[in-house]
Amino acid sequence: WGPLGVPRADAARILYTGHSMGGHGAWVLGTLHPARAIGVAALAGWAGWHSKEEYGDSNSLWRWDVGAPLVEPRLRALLLASVAEHAADRAVPNLSGLRVHVRVGSEDVSVPPYYSRKMARLLGHVGKGPDKKPQEDVELSSGSSPPPLVNLTFEELKGKEHWWWDSLEPNDGGVTNDRALRRVYADVLALSRDREKGAAPEPGAAEHSCPVDRDSSSSFEDGACSSGGGEVGAI
């Protein structure tokens, strides 16, 4: 507890969450510091570092600057290394065992749904073998153990753009704090408390599914998680 009886943040139990560039920050911090994380909620967040160069009016040096190949090799390597930490899509196995929620609007043109779908697809393969079966059913090299699955949920809200104030009703919390997302936050905290107590996760806790407490349409290709009309599809 801190001054005036206000509880201090626990640096060892962090829920990384954010929207847009903050959504990417949630991906980056979650993959770089998973030991501190109790979960990740990435809202309209772009994924790999190269996509940052194509985000809004960001500097597109690496793609369009004709002088880039002439940069002194050691300096170029240093510049590339400075943005390598943004490659969250290359580090998704670091999120194994965590509660992860991905949200995006189907009509988002600032950070198109492709990025969220891509991260969800990659996360859906964590802990699985080439045949997409859990690795506990796959023969592993001697002494190795399979990483746990990612406890993943995915939302692609039909008709929503990059930002919205109203999910189901006026001023209900919108993209960052509506009822469905508050339920995700509560779920993350409950799972974290269970782990602290050494309690076993509830059956199905590691299953991949979509929240369906709204009139939404969620989908991504290649083994899609989809929801609509109250149906839940597994990744």
Side-chain angles (χ1 to χ4, degrees), residues 127-148:
K128 296 183 180 179
D131 57 359
K132 298 185 179 180
K133 293 182 179 179
Q135 284 195 9
E136 56 262 28
D137 299 330
V138 179
E139 185 176 350
L140 300 170
S141 59
S142 177
S144 62
S145 59

Side-chain angles (χ1 to χ4, degrees), residues 44 103-109 111-113 116-117 155-162 164 175:
R103 167 181 275 196
V104 68
S106 66
E107 306 304 313
D108 192 336
V109 295
V111 182
S116 295
R117 295 172 186 169
E155 279 186 299
E156 183 172 317
L157 277 73
K158 184 177 181 180
K160 300 298 185 184
E161 299 181 356
H162 188 58
W164 63 90
V175 60

